Amino acid sequence: TLFRSDAAWKTVRKTIKETFAGPYYTGEYSPSVQKTLYDIQVLILSRAREIEEVEIILPNIHYFTIDMSKMGLTNNDEVLLPSEKPFGNITGTVRRKQASKL
């Protein structure tokens, strides 16, 4: 269900920008994109009570280290080349636990 709240949308946007696209020097290590997506989704649910479910779909793009030795340079995984086509999508959905019916 889509929400129609500007405040909720601003919260979602801010959370994604902070967590996924924040400054690298203050970021948090993540072993995978899936872990990052999950962390974003849980944080969104904790910050925006009116949201019941968060689904995020991202293209699965691989990046390859460029060999810069022919230019006399060392590349310590600092310059990367994205693959031409995505290898599918990475999808995650997190929803709130339903309240007990008792």
Side-chain angles (χ1 to χ4, degrees):
T1 305
L2 295 175
F3 55 89
R4 301 204 186 319
S5 164
D6 285 341
W9 171 243
K10 286 178 183 174
T11 298
V12 169
R13 184 179 163 105
K14 180 180 179 191
T15 302
I16 292 170
K17 286 175 73 175
E18 283 176 3
T19 311
F20 192 72
Y24 71 92
Y25 52 85
T26 61
E28 186 174 319
Y29 170 76
S30 177
S32 67
V33 175
Q34 292 86 344
K35 169 77 167 86
T36 302
L37 289 182
Y38 177 78
D39 290 347
I40 290 169
Q41 292 165 317
V42 169
L43 196 52
I44 287 170
L45 291 176
S46 74
R47 291 179 175 180
R49 292 286 178 204
E50 64 271 40
I51 297 174
E52 294 294 323
E53 179 179 287
V54 179
E55 179 181 37
I56 298 177
I57 302 169
L58 293 175
N60 186 16
I61 299 174
H62 293 253
Y63 292 83
F64 302 100
T65 304
I66 297 174
D67 179 8
M68 299 178 74
S69 62
K70 292 178 183 176
M71 296 179 273
L73 301 171
T74 302
N75 182 6
N76 295 320
D77 292 333
E78 297 167 319
V79 180
L80 303 172
L81 178 68
S83 60
E84 240 179 76
K85 297 179 182 177
F87 291 90
N89 290 319
I90 297 173
T91 303
T93 303
V94 175
R95 64 183 60 91
R96 296 184 186 283
K97 288 183 182 179
Q98 291 190 353
S100 175
K101 295 182 181 182
L102 295 177

